[in-house]
Amino acid sequence: MPTKMNRRIILRAHPNGVPRESDFAADEAPIPEPSEGQFLTRNLFLSIDAGFRQWMNEGAGDGYLQAMALGEPVMGLVLGEVAASHHPQYRVGDLVMGRTRWEEWSLADGSDYLAPVERAAGIDLSHHLGAIGPTGLTAYFGLRDIGRPQAGETVVVSTAAGAVGMIASQIAKIRGCRVVGLTSTEAKCRWLVDHLGLDAAIEYREPGVLAAGLDRHCPNGIDVYFDNVGGRVLEAALARLAMGARVVMCGALASYEGGDPVPGPTNLFKLVTQRATMRGFMVTDYVSEYPAAVAELAGWIASGQLHPVERMLDGIEQTPRAFCEMFRGVNLGKLVVRLDAARGAA
Ligand SMILES: NC(=O)c1ccc[n+]([C@@H]2O[C@H](COP(=O)([O-])OP(=O)(O)OC[C@H]3O[C@@H](n4cnc5c(N)ncnc54)[C@H](OP(=O)(O)O)[C@@H]3O)[C@@H](O)[C@H]2O)c1
């Protein structure tokens, strides 16, 4: 059993609006020992996910997850290796990916593990948290089952330069669609078109710019809207739905920051006149289908059709900065923190 301490990042304060690094703090605790039915993971990578922000708010618990407690390690997805086990299904050396905490060592009993990780040949291990992990799979299943994009259709993706959005955008391109991405800055718009190959990109922050951009780039309306944001961006997309459109309800970033409720769309009647559908989903609904989906995503990466863009920071102490930067829109693609244990192992 290892003798050093478990370095962790705890929630120091409930963030007020955009999270700040001072909302988090580093601490250390003894490395836990698994008892019967438990196992210990030595974590290699932490996944930085916008969705967890909402459970940092005071009293934010819901039917899906509990609110995060002050003074406790922050909940998050990790990719790790089983280091000790008293669990019949997890052997020492197995790679696993699941929801534990921002920490170097995690105690688990298998209940919060999304999937064992079967390492894909020729693909960086960290992409099992990104393009071929939960974020890529979210884009994959949301589009496959709800968006159902057909060649020639117009697909609009919000947070198109982020982890889920950049994969959704690229899959829609692979399906032969015209893809329009929404993001916060001109530089990110240029990146979406020049680097990811989208047909157009629009800055969404100014309502007038968003409306004019959607009118210009979606002259026949929007067939699929992949929504990561909600609020008035969703309203602008609904206003331009084509007949029979599908709206993929993936996330609602605009409302994760707590405080006053974000006004919802006032034009839901558009769904009626356009015979449109709008449906939410959780990627965890699809666990049994992960292996086949990972194989297809990995195949697209191998053939050069899908670019698994990733920004990696080194060391657990970088985790608060990585998370906060995400809410300032600094990131392009997937954000991952590489832990000391992964250096030389990945
Ligand atoms: N349904 C599921 O199972 C599932 C699973 C995973 C993730 N998700 C959802 O997918 C979405 C994207 O998550 P991600 O982890 O891939 O994050 P991400 O897109 O990599 O990062 C978040 C991005 O959102 C934008 N943003 C930040 N604050 C915003 C705000 N207040 N309003 C609008 N946009 C804001 C920023 O991009 P810009 O610079 O472009 O503004 C930022 O880069 C989230 O809504 C998340 O909840 C859903």
Side-chain angles (χ1 to χ4, degrees):
M1 185 59 57
T3 51
K4 62 179 193 133
M5 298 291 276
N6 187 14
R7 293 195 295 159
R8 326 179 298 176
I9 303 295
I10 60 165
L11 186 66
R12 181 152 72 178
H14 297 292
N16 180 11
V18 176
R20 293 175 303 176
E21 287 182 48
S22 56
D23 297 327
F24 307 95
D27 87 346
E28 287 190 347
I31 295 171
E33 287 199 31
S35 41
E36 202 50 44
Q38 294 182 321
F39 58 98
L40 178 73
T41 63
R42 175 173 165 261
N43 297 330
L44 304 172
F45 297 95
L46 302 184
S47 175
I48 306 297
D49 295 285
F52 283 102
R53 164 68 185 85
Q54 59 197 306
W55 291 290
M56 290 176 183
N57 294 329
E58 195 165 7
D62 53 26
Y64 188 61
L65 288 175
Q66 289 188 335
M68 296 187 211
L70 293 183
E72 291 294 323
V74 175
M75 180 165 58
L77 297 181
V78 309
L79 191 154
E81 191 177 56
V82 177
S85 179
H86 295 297
H87 191 298
Q89 278 156 16
Y90 295 88
R91 287 164 311 169
V92 171
D94 285 353
L95 280 176
V96 288
M97 189 271 302
R99 187 173 53 229
T100 65
R101 294 156 294 278
W102 289 352
E103 59 192 4
E104 292 182 318
W105 302 84
S106 294
L107 201 56
D109 61 9
S111 58
D112 265 347
Y113 271 88
L114 301 173
V117 172
E118 194 71 46
R119 189 162 184 179
I123 296 186
D124 291 350
L125 187 53
S126 57
H127 293 327
H128 281 281
L129 286 175
I132 58 170
T135 47
L137 292 165
T138 298
Y140 181 95
F141 291 116
L143 273 185
R144 188 196 72 176
D145 283 10
I146 304 174
R148 304 186 307 281
Q150 307 296 312
E153 288 190 329
T154 297
V155 177
V156 174
V157 179
S158 54
T159 68
V164 172
M166 64 141 183
I167 302 293
S169 300
Q170 293 184 83
I171 294 175
K173 281 305 295 175
I174 291 168
R175 297 289 180 222
C177 300
R178 175 179 166 67
V179 181
V180 178
L182 309 182
T183 188
S184 56
T185 66
E186 194 191 336
K188 288 175 89 168
C189 283
R190 262 201 315 278
W191 181 82
L192 285 173
V193 173
D194 297 345
H195 186 85
L196 278 201
L198 269 57
D199 297 280
I202 306 168
E203 288 173 60
Y204 70 84
R205 282 201 176 142
E206 242 344 290
V209 174
L210 175 63
L214 288 172
D215 288 341
R216 177 165 165 229
H217 295 299
C218 311
N220 301 318
I222 299 169
D223 297 295
V224 178
Y225 175 51
F226 194 100
D227 186 28
N228 285 320
V229 169
R232 64 170 184 76
V233 179
L234 172 60
E235 182 171 87
L238 292 182
R240 292 161 179 85
L241 291 185
M243 193 61 74
R246 287 83 64 200
V247 179
V248 185
M249 298 302 291
C250 178
L253 267 155
S255 56
Y256 292 170
E257 289 169 3
D260 292 337
V262 170
T266 57
N267 55 353
L268 286 174
F269 189 63
K270 262 285 180 190
L271 295 170
V272 179
T273 59
Q274 299 306 87
R275 284 75 165 171
T277 51
M278 181 158 144
R279 207 186 107 194
F281 74 106
M282 292 300 295
V283 66
T284 43
D285 300 342
Y286 292 94
V287 173
S288 64
E289 294 191 63
Y290 284 0
V294 168
E296 187 159 25
L297 289 161
W300 286 331
I301 293 173
S303 65
Q305 291 169 283
L306 184 70
H307 303 289
V309 181
E310 174 186 77
R311 175 156 182 252
M312 188 177 286
L313 289 89
D314 269 314
I316 193 164
E317 64 283 359
Q318 298 296 329
T319 313
R321 175 161 80 92
F323 188 73
C324 296
E325 282 186 354
M326 173 185 287
F327 285 87
R328 297 199 308 273
V330 174
N331 63 309
L332 287 176
K334 177 71 192 174
L335 264 169
V336 170
V337 173
R338 179 166 55 182
L339 301 183
D340 291 354
R343 302 205 188 149

